Amino acid sequence: GVRALLSRHYAQLSRKMAQRSAETGEHYIAHTRGEYRDMLRRAAIGGAVMSGTTLLKFAVLAIGLSAFWGGAWAAANYAASFVLIMLLHGTVATKQPAMTAPAMAQRLGDLKTDAAVEAFVDDVVHLLRSQAAGIFGNLALCGPLVLLAQLLATLVLGRPLVGAAEAQHVLHALTLLGPTVLYAAFTGVLLFASSILAGWMENWFVFHRLDSAIAWNPRIVARLGASRAQRWAHWWRHHISGVTANVSLGLMLGLVPVVTGFVGPTLDVRHVTLSTGQLGAAAGALGWPVMQLPAFWWCVAGIGVTGLLNVGVSFWLAFELAARARGVRALDRQRIRSALVKRLRTRLPSFLWPTVQA
């Protein structure tokens, strides 16, 4: 009936999105110790750039723009930062699960044996361990660099870049006692949505052969030259998905809270790296006594939960999409979940860093 037709249509759509996203997903999976160290290095680049993003966000807020324009400039700040990180060959940890879970779909073949399920769980462990490396690298530089900027500004200018009033607002906003859990989970949905948009754009780009149009269009060739047109075509073919994901994610992080505030209750965002930078700014404004405040440690706990939900929600949504694309039965999904829970109980460190057993 209609339900069966819609189910088949959804499965076909899921398969298309998963297949295109999988091409870029392997870039984010660290299988060896060397790849894990490389992930840490690239995530550190992302964290350094995000420290500047955090300070620019406070600068936008200080201008006192209207809600829409404040959100628009915040969105531009996020989008430009994410694209810059991509161009510098860095990474933002929370973007990875939504883009790499479809790559797992390529391995969701025959799951009839326990060995096949364990092999797939191994791949999931590699993926989640890569996310851990990305988060570690991001946070290791973002928070400390913002704190350092605050301390240097105090020494040179006599006052921090972000004042005490803004710091108190950060402590109130990021606490685990507030709506942080809801906002962090909602941010995971946005991370997943950005990967869907990226897959759709790559499909559209390839279907219309826009790389060939760039390379051979007479006007483009006349303006850029044949060799440069070829380079541009090659660059866009390999980066259209990444640019779309980064720009769309930045726009959603900045504008979605504004739009939801217009139409109903505001759904704010909580991004683990940006939240860490904001907490570093608050610590720099309030000084070392902030370490004695319970509110500070509730914010630290909130950041930990934010990281788990950013990664977990986006990964779960992308995995469900990939599983539907491969037609994985509900029983096999349950077997995968059980195997993952068992691995978490018995070999938890392997999800965080390379171990001898992993």
Side-chain angles (χ1 to χ4, degrees):
V2 175
R3 179 176 296 181
L5 180 62
L6 291 175
S7 178
R8 287 196 299 271
H9 176 73
Y10 179 72
Q12 292 173 355
L13 182 63
S14 301
R15 188 175 301 110
K16 291 179 180 179
M17 285 189 273
Q19 289 172 347
R20 297 307 306 175
S21 298
E23 293 187 7
T24 55
E26 288 291 345
H27 171 69
Y28 294 101
I29 302 177
H31 297 89
T32 66
R33 291 177 182 269
E35 291 175 347
Y36 186 87
R37 288 192 295 269
D38 182 63
M39 179 67 71
L40 285 172
R41 179 189 62 80
R42 292 192 286 115
I45 295 173
V49 174
M50 294 288 277
S51 65
T53 307
T54 303
L55 294 174
L56 283 175
K57 177 185 178 180
F58 281 111
V60 170
L61 293 174
I63 297 174
L65 299 172
S66 65
F68 174 79
W69 287 110
W73 281 108
N77 177 31
Y78 297 149
S81 298
F82 294 152
V83 171
L84 177 60
I85 291 170
M86 184 193 73
L87 295 177
L88 294 175
H89 304 290
T91 188
V92 178
T94 53
K95 258 187 359 71
Q96 296 168 23
M99 295 185 67
T100 55
M104 297 289 99
Q106 305 307 309
R107 300 183 176 91
L108 283 172
D110 186 4
L111 297 176
K112 293 182 180 180
T113 66
D114 291 339
V117 172
E118 287 298 321
F120 179 76
V121 171
D122 287 337
D123 289 330
V124 173
V125 170
H126 290 148
L127 171 61
L128 296 180
R129 189 165 64 212
S130 301
Q131 314 321 313
I135 291 177
F136 296 156
N138 277 179
L139 304 194
L141 263 73
C142 184
L145 284 179
V146 173
L147 175 60
L148 179 61
Q150 286 280 79
L151 297 177
L152 288 177
T154 301
L155 289 175
V156 176
L157 303 176
R159 59 181 179 82
L161 298 173
V162 179
E166 292 85 353
Q168 291 293 342
H169 176 73
V170 168
L171 295 181
H172 177 75
L174 300 184
T175 178
L176 186 58
L177 301 178
T180 292
V181 171
L182 172 63
Y183 294 162
F186 177 64
T187 304
V189 176
L190 298 184
L191 292 163
F192 171 71
S194 71
S195 75
I196 297 300
L197 291 173
W200 177 86
M201 178 57 74
E202 189 175 8
N203 277 336
W204 182 81
F205 188 95
V206 172
F207 179 78
H208 291 281
R209 300 181 180 180
L210 294 187
D211 51 339
S212 297
I214 295 173
W216 304 108
N217 183 274
R219 293 184 179 179
I220 295 177
V221 172
R223 175 161 298 196
L224 298 180
S227 60
R228 185 177 296 177
Q230 292 283 347
R231 289 197 302 270
W232 271 96
H234 182 269
W235 191 91
W236 279 109
R237 174 62 182 84
H238 288 85
H239 292 89
I240 185 63
S241 178
V243 170
T244 303
N246 286 302
V247 172
S248 63
L249 178 60
L251 294 178
M252 285 189 289
L253 291 179
L255 290 174
V256 167
V258 177
V259 174
T260 58
F262 283 152
V263 299
T266 300
L267 277 175
D268 208 343
V269 295
R270 291 290 184 269
H271 187 281
V272 61
T273 308
L274 290 170
S275 295
T276 302
Q278 293 170 19
L279 190 60
L286 300 176
W288 297 113
V290 74
M291 303 285 288
Q292 302 175 2
L293 298 177
F296 175 82
W297 295 107
W298 279 114
C299 289
V300 173
I303 288 174
V305 172
T306 295
L308 289 174
L309 288 174
N310 285 172
V311 171
V313 171
S314 60
F315 174 82
W316 179 77
L317 290 172
F319 174 76
E320 287 296 318
L321 174 68
R324 286 181 178 274
R326 297 292 294 182
V328 179
R329 300 178 304 168
L331 178 61
D332 289 330
R333 295 185 204 177
Q334 182 58 44
R335 293 172 61 211
I336 292 172
R337 295 189 189 101
S338 299
L340 276 171
V341 171
K342 180 180 178 181
R343 186 74 64 90
L344 277 169
R345 291 176 176 173
T346 59
R347 292 162 59 181
L348 177 61
S350 66
F351 284 81
L352 302 177
W353 50 75
T355 61
V356 176
Q357 288 182 317

